[in-house]
Amino acid sequence: AMLQQASLVGIAELKLASDECVSPVEGFTLLHTIVHPTVKSGGLAVFARCEHASQYEVVTSSGADGYVVIKCPGGLHVVFTYFAPDRSPVYERGGSRHPMDVLQYLLDSLRSRGPLLLMGDFNARCGAGDDRVNPAVDELVEQIGVVSELRRAHRAALPPRAAVADQGTNSRGVELITF
């Protein structure tokens, strides 16, 4: 039912080999795929509803780093990601940057272009983590010259979690919360 309302869809964890194809999705055009050339894991596909496909533009992508950036009507940039788990052979073979470095790069290079939405599979487990950034982090950000008042106001309005479905936390989850 939700797919019927969607105009842009990103799917992660394709687990395709580089010679395999993504199956067509009825009513959608495939905009971009990412598969890792040496490891049959992860992967990403981005689809746009056929009648709206011409309104979306693939701005940039990196198979090694696991992201694709789509420019949407009105100037919104959507970043779809698939970051392999920490111990993945993707990182052992080199060529892939640390996911938080990739997110920082994308934020730095896209922030001047307008609104930005980061989506995807970060393989960051933060279920037991706090859903608000530590106020000390905000103070540090302000000290280095980044205005965080809007973010602090937004965070203050977030309701507390009713229940945490995933009790596990990994180091990338902690890094993502801080990011």
Side-chain angles (χ1 to χ4, degrees):
M2 290 180 64
L3 192 58
Q4 294 172 349
Q5 299 173 22
S7 291
L8 188 65
V9 176
I11 301 173
E13 284 285 8
L14 296 175
K15 296 188 178 184
L16 297 176
S18 58
D19 61 344
E20 295 177 309
C21 297
V22 175
S23 299
V25 176
E26 186 178 341
F28 286 84
T29 299
L30 179 64
L31 291 180
H32 197 78
T33 58
I34 292 177
V35 295
H36 199 278
T38 59
V39 181
K40 187 176 179 177
S41 71
L44 181 64
V46 179
F47 297 88
R49 184 163 300 284
C50 290
E51 61 265 27
H52 303 294
S54 64
Q55 298 177 31
Y56 297 97
E57 173 190 351
V58 176
V59 174
T60 187
S61 69
S62 171
D65 289 328
Y67 70 84
V68 60
V69 178
I70 307 292
K71 183 178 180 185
C72 301
L76 172 69
H77 285 77
V78 180
V79 179
F80 292 98
T81 62
Y82 172 79
F83 296 144
D86 284 335
R87 294 187 185 103
S88 171
V90 168
Y91 301 113
E92 293 168 10
R93 294 189 175 127
S96 295
R97 293 179 287 177
H98 186 279
M100 295 305 119
D101 292 339
V102 172
L103 288 178
Q104 189 64 58
Y105 162 76
L106 290 166
L107 183 62
D108 291 344
S109 62
L110 295 170
R111 77 171 75 210
S112 65
R113 298 184 189 185
L116 178 65
L117 178 62
L118 301 171
M119 308 272 304
D121 184 345
F122 300 105
N123 271 302
R125 300 180 70 84
C126 49
D130 192 357
D131 57 358
R132 289 171 175 72
V133 174
N134 183 322
V137 173
D138 267 341
E139 290 174 23
L140 176 63
V141 169
E142 286 179 16
Q143 288 174 13
I144 61 173
V146 179
V147 177
S148 62
E149 187 60 38
L150 179 61
R151 290 183 307 169
R152 185 175 22 263
H154 169 71
R155 242 183 263 108
L158 289 174
R161 291 182 183 177
V164 179
D166 181 0
Q167 296 297 324
T169 302
N170 65 8
S171 61
R172 189 176 307 158
V174 173
E175 290 172 335
L176 184 61
I177 289 171
T178 301
F179 180 82

